[in-house]
Each structure stands twice: as C-alpha cells, then as structure tokens.
Amino acid sequence: MTFLSTPVKSAINKLSTQLETPFFVYDLDALNTHLARLVAQTDVKLWYAVKANPLSTVIQCLDKAGFNFDVASKGELEQVLAQGINSERVLNTGPAKSPAQIKHFIERGVRTFVAESLNQVRWLNEQAVDQQCQLQVLLRVQLRWPEGEKNPLGGDSLTPFGLGCDEWLALNTHQYPALNFDGLHIFQWGNMLSSDKLAELWSQMITPLQQLASKLGVNLNVLDLGGGLGIPYTQNDDTLSWDALITALANIKRHAGVNELWMELGRYAVGECGHYANPVVERKLNYGQQQVILSGGINHLLRPAVTNQDFPAQLLRNSTAENQAMSLYGPLCTALDCLGEHQLPNDLNEHDWLVFSQCGAYGFTESMPYFLCHELAAEYVIHNGELNCVRQAADASDYLR
Ligand SMILES: Cc1ncc(COP(=O)(O)O)c(C=O)c1O
C-alpha cells in the first residue's frame, strides 16, 4: 500500500519548488470517490463530524455527497451554515453546551441535539420554551466495561462524554415538554480497525441501552453510534471493509429494533484525503540517533504528541538509497515536538521534503500553531484535477497582537 497517489505526488512536487514552508494538500477528487461509496447504502444515516476537518471545501464535498453535519461549537456551526447548508441538517454534540451556546444554536435553526448531562436537558428545554420550538434530543450514554476491558476513547478512565445509566435514571422526561426524547447516543472508542471488534462492541451495548430506554420511558427510535471507524497509519495496519461494516450495522439496527441508525464519521470520512509536506531543515547524528529537524512539527500536526501515533512519512524525491531509522523533530523547544521514528532513505538531506499522509482528519485544526511564532501552514486542494490554494501560509505577524 502506498499512501501517496500520483496526482498528490505531482501536486506536492510542483508546490515544493515554489514554497519554502510546510503546506497541506487535500485530494478532493479522491475524497468524492470515497464519499460516494459511503453513501451508497440505506442502513445508516451519515453525519460528518466537522471537528475532523472544518475546511470549507471539505465540508462542501460532504454536503454534495449527502452527509448531514455534527457540530460541536459555535465556530463549527457557523462554518457549516456559511457553506449554504440548512440548519435542519445539523446535529449538536459535545460536553460543553452552555445555555448561551444552546440559545445561539436554536436561534440559528438547529433542532437536533445530543444531551450529555441533566443540566443540558434542562437548558435545552428552557431555551426551546423561550423560543417556542420543539427539539429532537438523544441522550448520550457512557457504559462501563467489565474489569480489564479497555474503553478505547478514554482508556480505563471515566470521560465527561455523556452520563452512565444510573445517572440518567434521575431524569424525568415528563418535566421537559419542549423536548422530544427520540433515542440514545453512544460513542466511547476511537480509530478501530477491526469490523469484528466493532460489531462485538456494538452488540454488547444493545441490551443495556434498551433497558435504559425502557426504564426512562424513552422511545428508542434513533440509535447514534458516533464515530470511531479507523484508518491505517502504518503499512501493516488493517483496513476496515465498508461492506463488512454495513452488514454489521444492519444487524445491529435489526437487533436493537430502531428505526434509524446514525453515525457521525470524522476520521474514516476524510482522514485519507490529506497530506502534509514539510521541508527538511537539517540532519544530524546525536548520541547515535539520526535526527532530522523539520520546518514544521506539532505546531502543524499535534496528533502524534497527543496519541503517540505517528502519521506515515515518506521522502518526496525518489531515492534508491537504503532505508535507515530516523527520528523526526519539529521546530518547537519541547521534546514533545516529535513526529516519530521512520524508516527513510539514508541519502536524505537538507534540500529534501518529507510528506506525511493520512492527515485529512485531526491535522491542521488539531495543532498548536502559535507556539514559537512560526508560519501557519498553507492549505491546497486538488479538485477536478486542478490544484488550488485555499489558504496561503501566514507569518506570525498575521495573528500576533
Ligand atoms: C461526538 C463525536 N462524534 C463523532 C466523532 C468523530 O469520530 P471519528 O473521527 O472517530 O469518526 C467524535 C470525535 O471525537 C465525537 O466526539
């Protein structure tokens, strides 16, 4: 498997002769082909988790493909609406929905919410009464797993995402006349690469969720399974089969007896379309370690420091030199600024560029761009075979006050 297609490689080759600082390239043609496959089924209603990549042109592709939109902040909501998308196609998830945010969302026409606490339920009802509207609400449930079983989204620890079944039992749904409690939401794991494991996790959840819904007197019309579908970050990782997933999801839908099964996809929808090109500044040998110092690091791609999982990297230029282990470091004054150890041709030098792939999700906006005042990365798209700039690189003077 190669992570770099011919159109992306030639676009990056061209840009690397014109630019001196790191940039992202998103292959929207490949994205559109991928999305067309995802929507070619009727078992699951698909929402795009905008947090994965809120770039306007990416959102437009998801819109054209027929996805709906899961937003977690006012910023994400406004970005979606700015693309001409109707608020009826927007769902609001997230643990920090303040009364002010809820008010804004309702004013902007959003009517579907995932409630993550008893307070959120109360605030949703208050704001809906004030604005004389009815809201569709799913309750976000957090299940505990048997001793020794990991909850992959939050490790073994408790997370603030939703509430446990016992905590939800304190809810008296009759006290909230403006809310239509229409189902449950559950999402506790990330970047899963096995459809069997996912099917097993999902099927384990059905009984406790059905029991909770019945105790609360909530009609389980909708079951929202969130995201969590993984993409490979190394050549050896498995790849999920969409067909196998859809078969598993259709089974879950039938067993759970729900009318609608929803998923909010981030990584699996857009992760593979993005690449990050990064100039080498220098290479040095330090205590026996081959160190490559790069122009950009976690200021543009924070995820490796947060998850300990690197984006795959390769040399842009063709080389027949033998591979050697090299440790890749960014420009920040913290040891956290490491983009991993990679096997790279041993003739790599300071005139080279490296390309990191699988960066379409949790890349540009999941970073720490201001630390040390380096440039913001540029963003380019390939669309209908044409390369266009969406954002020029910007100097620190652009954002410093
Ligand atoms: C509520 C919710 N839904 C969906 C997603 C998207 O997850 P993924 O990128 O694994 O598809 C996230 C990611 O954090 C999330 O918090």
Side-chain angles (χ1 to χ4, degrees):
M1 186 209 308
T2 170
F3 289 109
L4 214 49
S5 67
T6 308
V8 173
K9 190 165 179 177
S10 65
I12 295 178
N13 260 321
K14 181 173 164 205
L15 290 171
S16 68
T17 62
Q18 301 163 4
L19 304 174
E20 288 174 358
T21 55
F23 58 89
F24 285 84
V25 173
Y26 308 103
D27 184 350
L28 301 185
D29 295 331
L31 175 62
N32 285 332
T33 306
H34 175 58
L35 297 177
R37 266 206 83 208
L38 302 191
V39 297
Q41 46 79 31
T42 51
D43 296 295
V44 190
K45 177 168 174 172
L46 292 176
W47 304 74
Y48 173 49
V50 173
K51 59 178 74 73
N53 190 334
L55 189 71
S56 52
T57 49
V58 168
I59 291 176
Q60 287 158 20
C61 290
L62 275 294
D63 174 27
K64 285 206 188 82
F67 271 67
N68 300 289
F69 294 87
D70 159 34
V71 303
S73 67
K74 188 174 160 189
E76 288 185 358
L77 170 65
E78 293 304 321
Q79 175 73 337
V80 167
L81 299 183
Q83 311 315 314
I85 292 160
N86 194 303
S87 53
E88 283 171 11
R89 290 168 60 202
V90 174
L91 156 74
N92 180 206
T93 61
K97 297 182 198 75
S98 64
Q101 183 181 305
I102 292 169
K103 178 170 185 280
H104 178 80
F105 270 61
I106 297 177
E107 279 166 2
R108 298 293 271 146
V110 178
R111 295 290 178 267
T112 307
F113 291 83
V114 170
E116 312 225 4
S117 71
L118 296 166
N119 284 326
Q120 282 188 10
V121 170
R122 182 164 52 84
W123 295 332
L124 283 164
N125 187 67
E126 282 167 9
Q127 297 297 335
V129 168
D130 278 0
Q131 296 190 47
Q132 297 173 1
C133 62
Q134 197 72 24
L135 305 179
Q136 180 186 29
V137 172
L138 308 186
L139 303 177
R140 184 163 184 178
V141 182
Q142 189 176 141
L143 293 177
R144 296 311 296 268
W145 303 92
E147 208 51 33
E149 279 246 3
K150 255 189 178 283
N151 160 359
L153 196 66
D156 285 325
S157 56
L158 207 55
T159 72
F161 309 124
L163 287 176
C165 293
D166 289 350
E167 285 74 17
W168 275 127
L169 286 178
L171 179 75
N172 178 355
T173 53
H174 301 296
Q175 289 175 348
Y176 306 99
L179 305 186
N180 168 24
F181 294 98
D182 206 24
L184 300 175
H185 176 289
I186 183 156
F187 170 35
Q188 299 184 213
W189 46 89
N191 199 29
M192 301 288 287
L193 288 169
S194 156
S195 44
D196 287 347
K197 181 74 186 162
L198 274 164
E200 189 191 316
L201 279 164
W202 287 329
S203 51
Q204 278 177 28
M205 296 171 341
I206 295 176
T207 305
L209 293 180
Q210 283 173 329
Q211 285 169 349
L212 176 65
S214 125
K215 283 184 194 159
L216 285 173
V218 164
N219 175 23
L220 198 48
N221 182 43
V222 176
L223 175 59
D224 183 340
L225 295 171
L229 307 189
I231 57 172
Y233 287 99
T234 74
Q235 301 282 355
N236 305 326
D237 281 345
D238 290 336
T239 308
L240 279 177
S241 148
W242 182 241
D243 291 342
L245 279 170
I246 287 299
T247 306
L249 287 164
N251 275 330
I252 297 294
K253 188 174 177 181
R254 204 170 35 253
H255 287 149
V258 295
N259 295 322
E260 292 185 29
L261 196 62
W262 295 0
M263 286 203 81
E264 305 130 20
L265 301 186
R267 189 190 320 273
Y268 192 72
V270 299
E272 300 192 309
C273 79
H275 306 265
Y276 170 71
N278 195 352
V280 172
V281 176
E282 70 154 313
R283 176 177 163 186
K284 63 188 181 189
L285 188 64
N286 199 3
Y287 282 97
Q289 187 184 55
Q290 287 291 341
Q291 299 184 330
V292 180
I293 315 297
L294 296 163
S295 175
I298 60 173
N299 51 329
H300 295 160
L301 276 184
L302 181 65
R303 194 175 167 273
V306 181
T307 62
N308 249 333
Q309 189 170 44
D310 310 323
F311 289 101
Q314 68 188 79
L315 184 63
L316 176 61
R317 160 176 69 83
N318 292 329
S319 166
T320 52
E322 274 198 19
N323 276 349
Q324 177 173 9
M326 300 198 192
S327 299
L328 310 184
Y329 295 99
L332 306 186
C333 58
T334 161
L336 284 176
D337 193 6
C338 177
L339 299 183
E341 188 184 274
H342 298 259
Q343 290 292 328
L344 291 164
N346 65 18
D347 64 348
L348 181 153
N349 63 63
E350 69 261 31
H351 304 293
D352 278 318
W353 285 72
L354 294 185
V355 183
F356 295 80
S357 296
Q358 312 293 76
C359 305
Y362 308 117
F364 183 90
T365 55
E366 188 185 297
S367 62
M368 44 188 294
Y370 303 130
F371 192 39
L372 262 76
C373 304
H374 289 285
E375 300 84 5
L376 293 186
E379 292 185 290
Y380 287 80
V381 295
I382 302 171
H383 193 209
N384 295 331
E386 265 182 40
L387 181 63
N388 284 304
C389 182
V390 184
R391 174 203 307 278
Q392 305 276 359
D395 280 341
S397 58
D398 243 59
Y399 56 80
L400 288 177
R401 299 291 175 267

